[in-house]
Amino acid sequence: MLARVRNKVLFTSKRISAYLVTYPNQHKVMAHIDPVPDGKYYKFNIVLKQPKVGGVFRCQKCILNLFGRIYFFRPDKYEHSVSRIEQGERRILSISLTL
């Protein structure tokens, strides 16, 4: 059985939230879009720990991609995914904003 994603809530409100998310070895995130009922949805993800192999973030269109570690994108508008983590774990600080 695979380990589960650990999702620690750091802050949450109606418009903004922050999470510390840890993806374990062998985990992957299938391509998807995150719908929101109203407004525009933005995400700012900072990769705190890269896996040794795999765990590559992919997005149809990023507003900002710095060094493959800092991403700013619209998850409600563009498909995004993470390839299978083959060795190690992936940890991100994820801040989301709904306007």
Side-chain angles (χ1 to χ4, degrees), residues 11-46:
F11 176 82
T12 189
S13 72
K14 185 177 179 179
R15 296 206 180 267
I16 191 166
S17 60
Y19 296 88
L20 181 62
V21 187
T22 304
Y23 299 93
N25 192 49
Q26 297 302 308
H27 187 80
K28 70 178 180 178
V29 178
M30 300 298 288
H32 67 285
I33 291 176
D34 301 323
V36 290
D38 297 317
K40 297 178 181 179
Y41 188 36
Y42 294 89
K43 236 179 203 187
F44 184 69
N45 286 350
I46 302 168

Side-chain angles (χ1 to χ4, degrees), residues 25 49-56 84-90:
N25 192 49
K49 183 179 181 183
Q50 294 268 34
K52 292 178 183 177
V53 180
V56 177
R84 182 177 303 281
I85 298 167
E86 301 295 337
Q87 185 179 1
E89 67 180 18
R90 181 175 189 263

Side-chain angles (χ1 to χ4, degrees), residues 59-92:
C59 186
Q60 279 181 324
K61 183 176 179 182
C62 277
I63 298 167
L64 177 70
N65 176 351
L66 291 175
F67 317 112
R69 290 188 78 101
I70 299 171
Y71 302 97
F72 184 58
F73 65 105
R74 290 278 309 271
D76 62 330
K77 195 169 179 182
Y78 299 105
E79 197 171 81
H80 53 287
S81 64
V82 178
S83 67
R84 182 177 303 281
I85 298 167
E86 301 295 337
Q87 185 179 1
E89 67 180 18
R90 181 175 189 263
R91 185 171 300 133
I92 65 168

